[in-house]
Structures are given as C-alpha cells and as structure tokens.
Coordinates of all heavy atoms in Angstrom, one line a residue:
M26 N -168.3 77.6 -99.4 CA -168.7 78.9 -100.0 C -169.2 78.7 -101.5 O -170.2 79.1 -101.9 CB -167.6 79.9 -99.9 CG -168.0 81.3 -100.3 SD -169.3 82.0 -99.3 CE -169.6 83.5 -100.1
A27 N -168.3 77.9 -102.2 CA -168.6 77.7 -103.6 C -169.9 76.8 -103.6 O -170.7 77.0 -104.5 CB -167.5 76.9 -104.3
D28 N -170.1 75.9 -102.7 CA -171.3 75.1 -102.7 C -172.5 76.0 -102.5 O -173.5 75.7 -103.2 CB -171.2 74.1 -101.6 CG -170.2 72.9 -101.9 OD1 -169.8 72.9 -103.1 OD2 -169.9 72.2 -101.0
A29 N -172.4 76.9 -101.6 CA -173.6 77.8 -101.4 C -173.9 78.6 -102.6 O -175.1 78.8 -103.0 CB -173.3 78.8 -100.2
I30 N -172.9 79.1 -103.3 CA -173.1 79.8 -104.6 C -173.8 78.9 -105.6 O -174.7 79.3 -106.3 CB -171.8 80.5 -105.1 CG1 -171.4 81.5 -104.1 CG2 -172.0 81.1 -106.5 CD1 -170.0 82.1 -104.3
D31 N -173.2 77.7 -105.8 CA -173.8 76.8 -106.7 C -175.2 76.5 -106.4 O -176.1 76.5 -107.3 CB -173.0 75.4 -106.7 CG -171.6 75.5 -107.3 OD1 -171.4 76.5 -108.0 OD2 -170.9 74.6 -107.1
R32 N -175.5 76.3 -105.1 CA -176.9 76.0 -104.7 C -177.8 77.2 -105.1 O -178.9 77.1 -105.6 CB -176.9 75.7 -103.2 CG -178.3 75.4 -102.7 CD -178.8 74.0 -103.2 NE -180.1 73.8 -102.7 CZ -181.1 73.2 -103.5 NH1 -180.8 72.8 -104.7 NH2 -182.3 73.0 -103.0
A33 N -177.3 78.4 -104.8 CA -178.1 79.6 -105.1 C -178.4 79.7 -106.6 O -179.5 80.1 -107.0 CB -177.4 80.9 -104.6
N34 N -177.3 79.5 -107.4 CA -177.5 79.5 -108.8 C -178.5 78.5 -109.3 O -179.4 78.8 -110.2 CB -176.2 79.3 -109.5 CG -175.3 80.5 -109.5 OD1 -175.8 81.6 -109.3 ND2 -174.0 80.3 -109.6
Q35 N -178.5 77.3 -108.7 CA -179.4 76.3 -109.1 C -180.8 76.7 -108.7 O -181.8 76.5 -109.5 CB -179.0 75.0 -108.4 CG -179.8 73.8 -108.9 CD -179.5 72.5 -108.1 OE1 -178.6 72.4 -107.3 NE2 -180.4 71.5 -108.4
L36 N -181.0 77.2 -107.5 CA -182.4 77.6 -107.1 C -182.9 78.7 -108.0 O -184.0 78.7 -108.4 CB -182.3 78.2 -105.7 CG -182.2 77.1 -104.6 CD1 -182.0 77.7 -103.2 CD2 -183.4 76.2 -104.6
A37 N -182.0 79.7 -108.4 CA -182.4 80.7 -109.3 C -182.8 80.2 -110.7 O -183.8 80.6 -111.3 CB -181.3 81.7 -109.5
E38 N -182.1 79.2 -111.1 CA -182.4 78.6 -112.4 C -183.7 77.8 -112.4 O -184.6 77.9 -113.3 CB -181.3 77.5 -112.8 CG -180.3 78.0 -113.8 CD -179.3 77.0 -114.1 OE1 -179.7 75.8 -114.4 OE2 -178.1 77.3 -114.1
E39 N -183.9 77.1 -111.3 CA -185.2 76.4 -111.1 C -186.4 77.3 -111.1 O -187.4 77.1 -111.7 CB -185.2 75.5 -109.8 CG -184.3 74.3 -110.0 CD -184.0 73.6 -108.7 OE1 -184.7 73.9 -107.7 OE2 -183.3 72.6 -108.7
A40 N -186.2 78.4 -110.3 CA -187.3 79.4 -110.2 C -187.6 80.0 -111.6 O -188.7 80.2 -112.0 CB -186.9 80.5 -109.2
R41 N -186.5 80.3 -112.3 CA -186.7 80.9 -113.7 C -187.4 79.9 -114.6 O -188.3 80.3 -115.3 CB -185.3 81.3 -114.2 CG -185.4 82.2 -115.5 CD -184.1 82.1 -116.2 NE -183.7 80.8 -116.6 CZ -182.5 80.4 -116.8 NH1 -181.5 81.2 -116.7 NH2 -182.3 79.1 -117.2
D42 N -187.0 78.7 -114.6 CA -187.6 77.7 -115.4 C -189.1 77.5 -115.1 O -189.9 77.4 -116.0 CB -186.9 76.4 -115.3 CG -185.5 76.4 -116.0 OD1 -185.2 77.4 -116.7 OD2 -184.7 75.5 -115.8
A43 N -189.4 77.5 -113.8 CA -190.8 77.3 -113.4 C -191.6 78.5 -113.8 O -192.7 78.3 -114.3 CB -190.8 77.1 -111.8
A44 N -191.1 79.7 -113.7 CA -191.8 80.9 -114.1 C -192.0 80.9 -115.6 O -193.1 81.2 -116.1 CB -191.0 82.1 -113.7
L45 N -191.0 80.4 -116.3 CA -191.1 80.4 -117.8 C -192.2 79.4 -118.2 O -193.0 79.6 -119.0 CB -189.8 80.0 -118.4 CG -189.8 79.9 -119.9 CD1 -190.2 81.2 -120.6 CD2 -188.4 79.5 -120.4
A46 N -192.2 78.2 -117.5 CA -193.2 77.2 -117.8 C -194.6 77.7 -117.5 O -195.5 77.4 -118.3 CB -192.9 75.9 -117.0
R47 N -194.7 78.3 -116.4 CA -196.1 78.9 -116.0 C -196.5 79.9 -117.1 O -197.7 79.9 -117.5 CB -196.0 79.5 -114.6 CG -196.2 78.6 -113.5 CD -196.6 79.3 -112.2 NE -195.6 80.3 -111.9 CZ -194.5 80.2 -111.2 NH1 -194.2 79.0 -110.7 NH2 -193.7 81.2 -110.9
T48 N -195.6 80.7 -117.5 CA -195.9 81.7 -118.5 C -196.4 81.1 -119.8 O -197.4 81.5 -120.4 CB -194.7 82.6 -118.7 OG1 -194.3 83.3 -117.5 CG2 -195.0 83.7 -119.8
L49 N -195.7 80.1 -120.2 CA -196.0 79.4 -121.5 C -197.4 78.7 -121.4 O -198.2 78.8 -122.3 CB -194.9 78.4 -121.8 CG -193.6 79.0 -122.2 CD1 -192.5 77.9 -122.5 CD2 -193.7 79.9 -123.5
E50 N -197.6 78.1 -120.2 CA -198.9 77.4 -120.0 C -200.1 78.4 -120.0 O -201.1 78.2 -120.5 CB -198.9 76.6 -118.7 CG -198.1 75.3 -118.9 CD -197.9 74.7 -117.5 OE1 -198.5 75.1 -116.5 OE2 -197.1 73.8 -117.4
A51 N -199.8 79.6 -119.3 CA -200.9 80.6 -119.1 C -201.2 81.4 -120.3 O -202.2 82.0 -120.4 CB -200.5 81.5 -117.9
S52 N -200.2 81.5 -121.2 CA -200.4 82.4 -122.3 C -201.2 81.7 -123.5 O -200.8 80.7 -124.0 CB -199.0 82.8 -122.8 OG -199.1 83.6 -124.0
N53 N -202.3 82.4 -123.8 CA -203.0 81.9 -125.0 C -202.6 82.6 -126.2 O -202.9 82.2 -127.3 CB -204.6 82.1 -124.7 CG -205.1 81.1 -123.7 OD1 -204.6 80.0 -123.6 ND2 -206.0 81.5 -122.9
A54 N -202.0 83.8 -126.0 CA -201.5 84.5 -127.2 C -200.4 83.6 -127.8 O -199.7 83.0 -127.1 CB -201.0 85.8 -126.8
A55 N -200.3 83.7 -129.1 CA -199.2 82.9 -129.8 C -197.9 83.5 -129.3 O -197.6 84.7 -129.6 CB -199.3 83.0 -131.3
P56 N -197.1 82.7 -128.6 CA -195.8 83.2 -128.2 C -194.8 83.2 -129.3 O -195.0 82.5 -130.3 CB -195.4 82.3 -127.1 CG -196.1 81.0 -127.4 CD -197.3 81.4 -128.2
A57 N -193.7 83.9 -129.2 CA -192.7 83.8 -130.2 C -192.2 82.3 -130.2 O -192.4 81.6 -129.2 CB -191.5 84.7 -129.8
E58 N -191.7 81.8 -131.3 CA -191.4 80.4 -131.4 C -190.5 79.9 -130.3 O -190.7 78.8 -129.8 CB -190.6 80.1 -132.7 CG -191.6 80.0 -133.9 CD -191.7 81.3 -134.7 OE1 -190.8 81.6 -135.4 OE2 -192.8 81.9 -134.5
D59 N -189.6 80.7 -129.8 CA -188.8 80.2 -128.7 C -188.5 81.4 -127.8 O -188.6 82.6 -128.2 CB -187.5 79.5 -129.2 CG -186.6 80.5 -129.9 OD1 -186.2 81.5 -129.4 OD2 -186.3 80.2 -131.1
P60 N -188.1 81.2 -126.6 CA -187.9 82.3 -125.6 C -186.5 82.9 -125.7 O -186.1 83.6 -124.8 CB -188.1 81.6 -124.3 CG -187.6 80.2 -124.5 CD -187.9 79.9 -126.0
F61 N -185.8 82.6 -126.8 CA -184.4 83.2 -126.9 C -184.4 84.3 -128.0 O -185.0 84.2 -129.0 CB -183.5 82.0 -127.3 CG -183.4 81.0 -126.3 CD1 -184.1 79.8 -126.5 CD2 -182.8 81.1 -125.1 CE1 -184.1 78.8 -125.5 CE2 -182.8 80.2 -124.1 CZ -183.5 79.0 -124.3
C62 N -183.6 85.3 -127.6 CA -183.4 86.4 -128.5 C -182.8 86.0 -129.8 O -181.9 85.2 -129.9 CB -182.4 87.4 -127.8 SG -181.9 88.8 -128.8
E63 N -183.4 86.5 -130.9 CA -182.9 86.1 -132.2 C -181.6 86.7 -132.6 O -180.9 86.2 -133.5 CB -184.0 86.4 -133.3 CG -184.2 87.8 -133.6 CD -185.2 88.1 -134.7 OE1 -186.2 87.3 -134.8 OE2 -185.1 89.1 -135.4
D64 N -181.2 87.7 -131.9 CA -179.9 88.4 -132.2 C -178.8 87.8 -131.4 O -177.7 87.4 -131.9 CB -180.0 89.9 -132.0 CG -180.7 90.6 -133.2 OD1 -181.2 89.9 -134.1 OD2 -180.8 91.8 -133.1
C65 N -178.9 87.8 -130.1 CA -177.8 87.4 -129.2 C -178.0 86.0 -128.6 O -177.1 85.4 -128.1 CB -177.6 88.4 -128.1 SG -178.9 88.3 -126.8
G66 N -179.2 85.4 -128.8 CA -179.4 84.0 -128.3 C -179.7 83.9 -126.8 O -179.8 82.9 -126.3
G67 N -179.7 85.1 -126.2 CA -180.0 85.1 -124.7 C -181.4 84.8 -124.4 O -182.3 85.0 -125.3
L68 N -181.7 84.3 -123.2 CA -183.1 84.1 -122.9 C -183.8 85.4 -122.7 O -183.4 86.3 -122.0 CB -183.2 83.3 -121.6 CG -184.6 82.9 -121.1 CD1 -185.1 81.8 -122.1 CD2 -184.5 82.3 -119.7
I69 N -185.0 85.6 -123.4 CA -185.7 86.8 -123.2 C -186.5 86.8 -121.9 O -187.1 85.8 -121.6 CB -186.8 87.0 -124.4 CG1 -186.0 87.1 -125.7 CG2 -187.6 88.2 -124.1 CD1 -186.9 87.0 -126.9
P70 N -186.3 87.8 -121.0 CA -186.9 87.7 -119.7 C -188.4 87.5 -119.7 O -189.1 87.9 -120.6 CB -186.7 89.1 -119.1 CG -185.5 89.6 -119.9 CD -185.6 89.0 -121.3
V71 N -188.9 86.7 -118.8 CA -190.3 86.3 -118.7 C -191.2 87.5 -118.7 O -192.2 87.5 -119.4 CB -190.6 85.4 -117.5 CG1 -192.0 85.2 -117.3 CG2 -189.8 84.1 -117.7
V72 N -190.8 88.5 -117.9 CA -191.7 89.7 -117.8 C -191.9 90.3 -119.2 O -193.0 90.8 -119.5 CB -191.0 90.7 -116.8 CG1 -191.7 92.1 -116.9 CG2 -191.0 90.2 -115.4
R73 N -190.8 90.4 -119.9 CA -190.9 91.0 -121.3 C -191.8 90.1 -122.2 O -192.6 90.7 -122.9 CB -189.5 91.1 -121.9 CG -189.5 91.6 -123.4 CD -188.1 92.0 -123.8 NE -188.0 92.3 -125.2 CZ -188.5 93.3 -125.8 NH1 -189.2 94.2 -125.1 NH2 -188.4 93.5 -127.1
R74 N -191.7 88.8 -122.1 CA -192.5 87.9 -122.9 C -194.0 88.0 -122.5 O -194.8 87.8 -123.4 CB -191.9 86.5 -122.8 CG -190.6 86.4 -123.6 CD -189.9 85.1 -123.3 NE -190.7 84.0 -123.4 CZ -191.2 83.5 -124.5 NH1 -190.9 84.0 -125.6 NH2 -192.0 82.4 -124.4
E75 N -194.2 88.2 -121.2 CA -195.6 88.4 -120.8 C -196.2 89.6 -121.3 O -197.4 89.6 -121.8 CB -195.7 88.4 -119.2 CG -195.5 87.1 -118.6 CD -195.5 87.1 -117.1 OE1 -195.3 88.3 -116.5 OE2 -195.7 86.1 -116.4
R76 N -195.4 90.7 -121.3 CA -196.0 92.0 -121.8 C -196.0 92.0 -123.3 O -196.9 92.7 -123.9 CB -195.1 93.1 -121.3 CG -195.2 93.4 -119.8 CD -194.4 94.6 -119.4 NE -194.4 94.7 -118.0 CZ -193.5 95.4 -117.3 NH1 -192.5 96.0 -118.0 NH2 -193.5 95.4 -116.0
L77 N -195.1 91.3 -124.0 CA -195.0 91.4 -125.4 C -194.7 90.0 -125.9 O -193.6 89.6 -126.2 CB -193.9 92.4 -125.8 CG -193.7 92.8 -127.2 CD1 -195.0 93.5 -127.7 CD2 -192.5 93.7 -127.4
P78 N -195.8 89.2 -126.0 CA -195.6 87.7 -126.4 C -194.9 87.5 -127.7 O -194.3 86.5 -128.0 CB -197.0 87.2 -126.4 CG -197.8 88.1 -125.5 CD -197.2 89.5 -125.7
S79 N -195.1 88.5 -128.6 CA -194.5 88.4 -129.9 C -193.0 88.8 -130.0 O -192.4 88.8 -131.0 CB -195.3 89.2 -130.9 OG -195.3 90.5 -130.6
A80 N -192.5 89.2 -128.8 CA -191.1 89.7 -128.8 C -190.1 88.6 -129.3 O -190.2 87.5 -128.8 CB -190.7 90.2 -127.4
T81 N -189.2 89.0 -130.2 CA -188.3 88.0 -130.6 C -186.8 88.4 -130.3 O -185.9 87.7 -130.6 CB -188.3 87.8 -132.1 OG1 -188.1 89.1 -132.8 CG2 -189.7 87.2 -132.6
R82 N -186.7 89.5 -129.6 CA -185.4 90.0 -129.2 C -185.4 90.4 -127.7 O -186.5 90.8 -127.2 CB -184.9 91.2 -130.0 CG -184.6 90.9 -131.4 CD -184.2 92.2 -132.1 NE -183.9 91.9 -133.5 CZ -184.9 92.0 -134.5 NH1 -186.1 92.3 -134.2 NH2 -184.6 91.7 -135.7
C83 N -184.3 90.4 -127.0 CA -184.2 90.9 -125.7 C -184.3 92.4 -125.8 O -184.1 93.0 -126.9 CB -182.9 90.4 -125.0 SG -181.4 91.1 -125.7
V84 N -184.4 93.0 -124.6 CA -184.6 94.5 -124.6 C -183.4 95.2 -125.3 O -183.5 96.1 -126.1 CB -184.8 95.0 -123.2 CG1 -184.8 96.5 -123.1 CG2 -186.1 94.4 -122.6
G85 N -182.2 94.7 -124.9 CA -181.0 95.4 -125.4 C -180.9 95.3 -126.9 O -180.7 96.3 -127.6
C86 N -181.1 94.1 -127.5 CA -181.0 93.9 -128.9 C -182.2 94.6 -129.7 O -182.0 95.1 -130.7 CB -181.0 92.4 -129.3 SG -179.6 91.6 -128.7
Q87 N -183.4 94.7 -129.0 CA -184.5 95.3 -129.7 C -184.2 96.8 -129.8 O -184.5 97.4 -130.8 CB -185.8 95.1 -128.9 CG -187.0 95.7 -129.5 CD -187.3 95.1 -130.9 OE1 -187.2 93.9 -131.1 NE2 -187.7 95.9 -131.8
S88 N -183.6 97.4 -128.7 CA -183.3 98.9 -128.8 C -182.2 99.1 -129.9 O -182.3 100.1 -130.6 CB -182.9 99.4 -127.4 OG -181.7 98.9 -127.0
V89 N -181.2 98.2 -129.9 CA -180.2 98.4 -131.0 C -180.9 98.3 -132.4 O -180.6 99.1 -133.3 CB -179.1 97.3 -130.8 CG1 -178.2 97.3 -132.0 CG2 -178.3 97.6 -129.6
H90 N -181.7 97.3 -132.5 CA -182.4 97.0 -133.8 C -183.2 98.3 -134.2 O -183.2 98.7 -135.3 CB -183.3 95.8 -133.6 CG -184.1 95.5 -134.9 ND1 -183.6 94.9 -136.0 CD2 -185.4 95.7 -135.1 CE1 -184.5 94.8 -136.9 NE2 -185.7 95.3 -136.4
E91 N -184.0 98.8 -133.2 CA -184.8 100.0 -133.5 C -183.9 101.2 -133.9 O -184.3 102.0 -134.8 CB -185.7 100.3 -132.3 CG -186.8 99.3 -132.2 CD -187.7 99.5 -131.0 OE1 -187.4 100.4 -130.2 OE2 -188.6 98.6 -130.8
R92 N -182.8 101.4 -133.2 CA -181.9 102.5 -133.5 C -181.4 102.3 -134.9 O -181.3 103.2 -135.7 CB -180.7 102.6 -132.5 CG -181.1 103.4 -131.3 CD -179.8 103.9 -130.6 NE -179.0 102.8 -130.2 CZ -179.1 102.3 -129.0 NH1 -180.0 102.7 -128.1 NH2 -178.3 101.3 -128.6
K93 N -181.0 101.1 -135.3 CA -180.5 100.8 -136.6 C -181.5 101.1 -137.7 O -181.3 101.7 -138.7 CB -180.0 99.4 -136.7 CG -178.6 99.1 -136.1 CD -178.2 97.7 -136.4 CE -176.9 97.4 -135.7 NZ -176.6 95.9 -135.7
S94 N -182.8 100.6 -137.4 CA -183.9 100.8 -138.3 C -184.1 102.3 -138.5 O -184.3 102.7 -139.7 CB -185.1 100.1 -137.8 OG -184.9 98.7 -137.7
A95 N -184.2 103.0 -137.4 CA -184.4 104.5 -137.5 C -183.3 105.1 -138.3 O -183.6 106.0 -139.2 CB -184.5 105.1 -136.1
H96 N -182.1 104.6 -138.1 CA -180.9 105.2 -138.8 C -181.1 105.0 -140.4 O -180.9 105.9 -141.2 CB -179.7 104.5 -138.3 CG -178.4 105.0 -139.0 ND1 -177.9 106.3 -138.8 CD2 -177.6 104.4 -140.0 CE1 -176.8 106.4 -139.6 NE2 -176.6 105.3 -140.3
Y97 N -181.5 103.8 -140.7 CA -181.6 103.4 -142.1 C -182.8 104.2 -142.8 O -182.6 104.7 -143.9 CB -181.9 101.9 -142.3 CG -180.7 101.1 -142.0 CD1 -180.8 99.9 -141.3 CD2 -179.4 101.5 -142.4 CE1 -179.7 99.1 -141.0 CE2 -178.3 100.7 -142.1 CZ -178.5 99.6 -141.4 OH -177.4 98.8 -141.1
V98 N -183.9 104.4 -142.0 CA -185.0 105.2 -142.6 C -184.6 106.6 -142.8 O -184.9 107.2 -143.8 CB -186.2 105.1 -141.6 CG1 -187.3 106.1 -142.0 CG2 -186.7 103.6 -141.6
Q99 N -183.9 107.2 -141.8 CA -183.5 108.6 -141.9 C -182.4 108.8 -142.9 O -182.2 109.9 -143.4 CB -183.1 109.1 -140.5 CG -184.3 109.2 -139.6 CD -183.8 109.5 -138.2 OE1 -182.6 109.6 -137.9 NE2 -184.7 109.5 -137.2
R100 N -181.5 107.8 -143.1 CA -180.3 107.9 -143.9 C -179.3 108.8 -143.3 O -179.2 109.9 -143.3 CB -180.7 108.3 -145.3 CG -180.8 107.0 -146.1 CD -181.2 107.2 -147.5 NE -182.4 106.5 -147.9 CZ -183.0 106.6 -149.0 NH1 -182.6 107.3 -150.0 NH2 -184.1 105.9 -149.2
Ligands
LIG210 ZN1 -180.5 89.9 -127.4

C-alpha cells in the first residue's frame, strides 16, 4: 500500500515537473525569477504562472498581501 502511494506521489511530481518545464520553455514573457512564492516559499501553480507570468506569490499569499495593502491604504 505504501509503495503504491509512493509511486503515485512520484508520478504526480514527475507530471508537475514536466508541466513546469514545458511552461518555462513555451513562455516568451519574462517569468518571475523563480517559480516559488516569495512569501511562503511554496511552488506557484503552473496554471497561475501561465496566466500571470509575473506572479511572485501563490494565490493565498497574494490575496493576503492585497488585503494587507488595502488595509494600509485605507488606514
Ligand atoms: Zn505563498
């Protein structure tokens, strides 16, 4: 059972890495320096990076960042 889960995790990782590599190769827009969120260090999903190549945060951190920014602007 554990072996099957390990194998599934490995396949998922390989698929993700391949998708990320294809995205980086296909993208002529300047991508963010790295695919990791600048706040939490998590990998930014490929779909998000395709839609927003300049994204430097994952969706969760970006929404927190925007809420904080709005808070500071409004006081
Ligand atoms: Zn994040």
Side-chain angles (χ1 to χ4, degrees):
M26 191 57 184
D28 286 348
I30 293 171
D31 286 348
R32 182 69 184 140
N34 282 336
Q35 190 186 348
L36 287 173
E38 260 181 50
E39 288 171 4
R41 190 197 60 201
D42 288 350
L45 179 60
R47 278 198 304 274
T48 299
L49 292 176
E50 284 170 12
S52 176
N53 288 325
E58 278 95 76
D59 63 58
F61 300 101
C62 173
E63 69 180 32
D64 283 2
C65 72
L68 186 69
I69 299 172
V71 171
V72 170
R73 174 164 170 74
R74 289 167 46 71
E75 280 177 346
R76 289 185 188 159
L77 191 61
S79 62
T81 57
R82 292 181 181 86
C83 68
V84 175
C86 292
Q87 183 63 39
S88 69
V89 169
H90 177 75
E91 285 173 5
R92 272 202 298 273
K93 280 183 183 170
S94 299
H96 179 73
Y97 289 139
V98 169
Q99 289 168 2
R100 267 180 234 175

